[in-house]
């Protein structure tokens, strides 16, 4: 029976080529957009090297300072604040501090390179799992002695030295300072801003004053939770730490900050305006779900109209089948199978288009060093979306036509 329905569906699709094209285009284009968005989102916050242990990482990316006049300032914390108050926390397994990356000029002959430079401590290499192609990271002695050593990315090595092999031990000039290359790592996508850079150097070699006793600065912290420890436990200890902070500025009356998971670092700041106790992740998911539902509902409604027109043309067939005893449930089942068959074809086409689009985006270097792929999780979302589309756009037309009386259907009526 199912095979017969599929054969009928295939013949119907070939008979109404224009409607079939419109339907397939709507389904495949919608799915392609959704898959590209999901793949990019997964690339930003999923567990990928060098942030493979992302679920165990809590980040401190900003502190919110409230002033006596009602004003508010959200900034990253200073290295002084992190060293004085965060370094002594007991719950995290490891704690690392690192600066935001800054573009700095470097020259190779007459060629100018803009290299993104990040200053870190030595624990940075234990918290994040970089893939070393050659050499090794700098250690605690290099940090303590402010040794001018760096780790560079594969692309930096190729652009500066012309090769990524045999560059360990050679000198590279970054930000008008010469450093000795200690290691070469695989490129990191720029969207991974916590670990991303093109050149990493010990934070003690920075020209900035990292001992300035201000709370605001341009450094972040990543705190690795022990196996089985909830990130909320780390944030709870951090909140106790904040109560002991001595603010050097008497105009500042309040101080808010949290140790959050990666997504919460965005949602708390942009949806909670910094001082919110809630991470606002639930609100964020509602917004995303609403936008996705709106994006999918519009083409689904269009498909309902197309399906109605397509099925109306088959009123005589429906009339004959009902006259010979076909039940309403049988007809509804047939129309749903036909529609799901159509949406599955559109889904496969959407997967193909998404693969081509992601391959094009990766090769275009539109987002530096990002390599987007379709993984099993993305495919599962696509499959769920296809089934949702098939049922949503096929239920109403199928139900409407199954209720038509045989004589009325033979006359071409649908009401």
């Amino acid at each position: 029976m199912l095979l017969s329905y599929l054969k009928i569906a295939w013949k119907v699709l070939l008979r109404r080529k224009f409607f079939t094209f419109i339907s397939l285009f709507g389904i495949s284009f919608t799915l392609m957009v959704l898959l590209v968005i999901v793949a990019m989102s997964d690339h930003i916050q999923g567990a990928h090297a060098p942030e493979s242990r992302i679920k165990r990482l809590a980040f401190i990316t900003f502190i919110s300072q409230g002033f006596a006049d009602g004003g508010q300032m959200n900034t990253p914390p200073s290295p002084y604040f992190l060293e004085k108050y965060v370094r002594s926390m007991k719950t995290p397994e490891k704690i690392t501090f690192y600066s935001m990356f800054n573009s700095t000029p470097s020259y190779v002959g007459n060629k100018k390179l803009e290299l993104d430079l990040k200053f870190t401590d030595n624990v940075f290499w234990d918290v994040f799992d970089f893939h070393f192609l050659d050499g090794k990271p700098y250690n605690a002695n290099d940090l303590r002695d402010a040794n001018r050593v760096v780790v560079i990315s594969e692309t930096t090595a190729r652009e500066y030295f012309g090769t990524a092999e045999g560059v360990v031990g050679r000198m590279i000039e970054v930000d008008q300072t010469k450093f000795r290359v200690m290691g070469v790592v695989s490129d990191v996508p720029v969207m991974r801003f916590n670990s991303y850079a093109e050149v990493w150097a010990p934070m003690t070699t920075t020209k900035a004053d990292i001992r300035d006793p201000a709370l605001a600065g341009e450094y972040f912290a990543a705190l690795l939770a022990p196996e089985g420890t909830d990130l909320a436990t780390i944030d709870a200890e951090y909140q106790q730490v904040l109560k002991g902070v001595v603010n050097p500025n008497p105009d500042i009356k309040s101080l808010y900050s949290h140790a959050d998971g990666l997504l919460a670092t965005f949602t708390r700041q942009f949806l909670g305006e910094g001082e919110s106790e809630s991470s606002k992740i639930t609100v964020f998911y509602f917004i995303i779900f609403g936008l996705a539902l709106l994006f999918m509902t519009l083409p689904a409604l269009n498909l309902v109209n197309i399906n109605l027109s397509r099925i109306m043309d088959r009123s005589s067939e429906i009339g004959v089948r009902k006259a010979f005893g076909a039940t309403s449930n049988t007809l509804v089942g047939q129309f749903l199978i036909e529609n799901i068959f159509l949406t599955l074809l559109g889904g496969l086409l959407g997967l193909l288009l998404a693969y081509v689009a992601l391959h094009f985006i990766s090769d275009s270097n539109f987002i530096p060093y990002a390599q987007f792929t379709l993984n099993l999780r993305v495919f599962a979302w696509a499959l769920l979306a296809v089934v949702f589309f098939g049922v949503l756009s096929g239920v109403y037309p199928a139900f409407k036509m199954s209720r038509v009386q045989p004589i009325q259907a033979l006359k071409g009526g649908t009401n």
Side-chain angles (χ1 to χ4, degrees), residues 106-255:
S106 182
Y107 296 90
V108 184
N110 296 325
K111 181 181 177 183
K112 180 182 179 182
L113 299 178
E114 291 290 343
L115 298 177
D116 290 333
L117 173 64
K118 182 191 290 287
F119 294 99
T120 80
D121 60 14
N122 59 296
V123 187
F124 182 81
W125 305 105
D126 298 328
V127 171
F128 298 108
D129 55 340
F130 285 81
H131 177 217
F132 273 80
L133 303 174
D134 196 8
K136 60 183 180 181
Y138 40 83
N139 56 32
N141 292 334
D142 294 315
L143 184 74
R144 182 196 61 206
D145 299 337
N147 291 335
R148 299 190 183 283
V149 292
V150 292
V151 172
I152 62 177
S153 70
E154 180 180 7
T155 296
T156 299
R158 292 188 187 283
E159 291 185 345
Y160 195 92
F161 298 108
T163 177
E165 299 178 354
V167 302
V168 172
R170 298 176 66 176
M171 302 302 292
I172 181 173
E173 186 170 339
V174 183
D175 196 22
Q176 300 178 333
T177 304
K178 288 188 176 181
F179 293 87
R180 179 168 54 88
V181 176
M182 287 201 69
V184 180
V185 296
S186 298
D187 295 330
V188 179
V190 69
M191 294 182 298
R192 294 283 184 175
F193 70 90
N194 284 291
S195 53
Y196 165 77
E198 292 169 314
V199 178
W200 296 263
M203 56 192 291
T204 48
T205 62
T206 179
K207 296 175 181 176
D209 183 7
I210 60 176
R211 293 182 175 79
D212 184 357
L215 300 185
E218 55 176 18
Y219 272 69
F220 300 143
L223 295 77
L224 181 65
E227 287 281 1
T229 300
D230 195 285
L231 296 184
T233 305
I234 291 180
D235 188 46
E237 183 187 359
Y238 182 51
Q239 296 309 307
Q240 294 301 316
V241 168
L242 290 178
K243 293 178 180 178
V245 173
V246 178
N247 200 321
N249 187 346
D251 293 333
I252 297 177
K253 299 302 181 185
S254 61
L255 181 67

Side-chain angles (χ1 to χ4, degrees), residues 160-402:
Y160 195 92
F161 298 108
T163 177
E165 299 178 354
V167 302
V168 172
R170 298 176 66 176
M171 302 302 292
I172 181 173
E173 186 170 339
V174 183
D175 196 22
Q176 300 178 333
T177 304
K178 288 188 176 181
F179 293 87
R180 179 168 54 88
V181 176
M182 287 201 69
V184 180
V185 296
S186 298
D187 295 330
V188 179
V190 69
M191 294 182 298
R192 294 283 184 175
F193 70 90
N194 284 291
S195 53
Y196 165 77
E198 292 169 314
V199 178
W200 296 263
M203 56 192 291
T204 48
T205 62
T206 179
K207 296 175 181 176
D209 183 7
I210 60 176
R211 293 182 175 79
D212 184 357
L215 300 185
E218 55 176 18
Y219 272 69
F220 300 143
L223 295 77
L224 181 65
E227 287 281 1
T229 300
D230 195 285
L231 296 184
T233 305
I234 291 180
D235 188 46
E237 183 187 359
Y238 182 51
Q239 296 309 307
Q240 294 301 316
V241 168
L242 290 178
K243 293 178 180 178
V245 173
V246 178
N247 200 321
N249 187 346
D251 293 333
I252 297 177
K253 299 302 181 185
S254 61
L255 181 67
Y256 300 96
S257 182
H258 285 274
D260 286 319
L262 183 61
L263 179 59
T265 60
F266 292 101
T267 56
R268 190 190 299 277
Q269 185 169 6
F270 292 108
L271 298 179
E273 298 179 352
E275 78 282 5
S276 174
E277 285 299 315
S278 169
S279 64
K280 302 292 183 181
I281 288 182
T282 303
V283 176
F284 174 78
Y285 279 130
F286 269 112
I287 293 174
I288 295 299
F289 179 76
L291 291 175
L293 187 62
L294 178 64
F295 183 70
M296 295 175 64
T297 299
L298 293 178
L301 291 176
N302 187 42
L303 281 177
V304 169
N305 290 325
I306 292 176
N307 286 335
L308 269 176
S309 300
R310 182 165 57 89
I311 294 176
M312 282 174 62
D313 287 349
R314 301 169 63 186
S315 58
S316 58
E317 171 196 336
I318 294 170
V320 170
R321 293 194 61 190
K322 296 199 77 169
F324 280 88
T327 64
S328 297
N329 289 337
T330 300
L331 293 173
V332 169
Q334 177 185 343
F335 291 138
L336 280 180
I337 290 173
E338 289 182 12
N339 215 53
I340 291 176
F341 177 66
L342 175 65
T343 52
L344 283 175
L345 289 179
L348 291 175
L349 185 58
L351 281 174
L352 178 62
L353 292 176
Y355 173 80
V356 173
L358 291 174
H359 188 71
F360 175 77
I361 294 173
S362 298
D363 288 350
S364 69
N365 206 30
F366 175 69
I367 301 175
Y369 310 125
Q371 293 294 322
F372 300 105
T373 57
L374 291 172
N375 58 31
L376 292 177
R377 183 166 48 176
V378 175
F379 179 76
W381 277 104
L383 190 61
L384 180 63
V386 166
V387 173
F388 176 79
F389 250 105
V391 174
L392 185 67
S393 61
V395 165
Y396 175 68
F399 180 77
K400 184 177 177 65
M401 289 306 300
S402 68

